[in-house]
Amino acid sequence: MISITVTALVFGIVFLAELPDKTALAGLVLGTRYRASYVFAGVAAAFLLHVVLAVAAGSVLTLLPQQIVHAVTGVLFLGGAAVLLLKKDEDEEEVRKPADQSFWKVAGTGFMLILVAEFGDLTQIMTANLAARYDAPLSVGLGAVLGLWAVAGLGIVGGKALMKRVPLRLITQIAAALMLALGVWSLYEAVAG
């Protein structure tokens, strides 16, 4: 069964954490060079694969005692908040343009770029933490996939316009504050439980 509350929470956290990420900028660059639907197909498939792996890893964590899971996820959330607050602003990365612009070449370029760039990324680790925290793999997976796809869509279609209206630093600080709150809450539950 899917929990709308968990799905919405995960969507918000992953969406905010992914917005300032380099992959959103990579999607923007790809979207300016190629057909948006082709780029999105490849990027969406890569994100789906990452979420499946993260939820599987998080589900394994639920086999541990709850206090240990809360302590580990709390520390990882605090680490994620620190990473967001301490990372330098990233410039758009140069993406190599494939020779032809067929669906498979463009989608393949987007897939490979995201597959490599996102492996072990903060949002993948956060998704695993959230899967362990809530023990609701379908809800966490759905929220994470939708959050990542929303950021990819924004990046591909209109990322530059959003970044002109909302400072990237503000988005990063909001995501870090949410992760900090989740980290403190998880540590509190580990100690109190």
Side-chain angles (χ1 to χ4, degrees):
M1 185 168 181
I2 293 182
S3 164
I4 299 298
T5 305
V6 171
T7 300
L9 176 70
V10 172
F11 174 88
I13 292 168
V14 169
F15 181 85
L16 287 171
E18 189 65 22
L19 265 180
D21 195 64
K22 64 189 174 297
T23 52
L25 294 173
L28 179 128
V29 171
L30 286 170
T32 61
R33 295 179 180 192
Y34 309 114
R35 186 179 211 164
S37 60
Y38 292 3
V39 173
F40 185 78
V43 167
F47 277 136
L48 179 62
L49 178 59
H50 276 288
V51 168
V52 167
L53 293 173
V55 169
S59 295
V60 169
L61 288 177
T62 62
L63 302 174
L64 297 173
Q66 279 301 103
Q67 282 185 299
I68 293 173
V69 171
H70 289 312
V72 168
T73 58
V75 168
L76 290 172
F77 276 129
L78 292 176
V83 166
L84 281 176
L85 290 172
L86 298 175
K87 78 177 187 175
K88 305 268 189 253
D89 291 333
E90 298 169 349
D91 297 327
E92 290 183 17
E93 294 183 10
E94 192 61 33
V95 178
R96 197 166 47 95
K97 190 173 183 174
D100 73 65
Q101 299 220 0
S102 70
F103 172 80
W104 293 110
K105 289 284 186 184
V106 173
T109 298
F111 179 84
M112 290 308 296
L113 177 69
I114 298 304
L115 188 68
V116 171
E118 283 291 303
F119 206 78
D121 192 59
L122 179 63
T123 51
Q124 190 177 32
I125 293 167
M126 282 175 35
T127 301
N129 288 342
L130 289 163
R133 172 108 173 82
Y134 291 106
D135 195 18
L138 289 176
S139 299
V140 170
L142 181 61
V145 164
L146 293 176
L148 291 167
W149 287 356
V151 170
L154 281 174
I156 291 166
V157 175
K160 281 187 179 175
L162 176 67
M163 295 304 170
K164 286 180 183 174
R165 299 192 193 295
V166 181
L168 187 60
R169 190 76 191 137
L170 176 63
I171 294 167
T172 302
Q173 289 170 340
I174 291 169
L178 282 171
M179 290 181 69
L180 182 64
L182 282 168
V184 168
W185 181 254
S186 293
L187 289 176
Y188 169 77
E189 285 185 325
V191 173

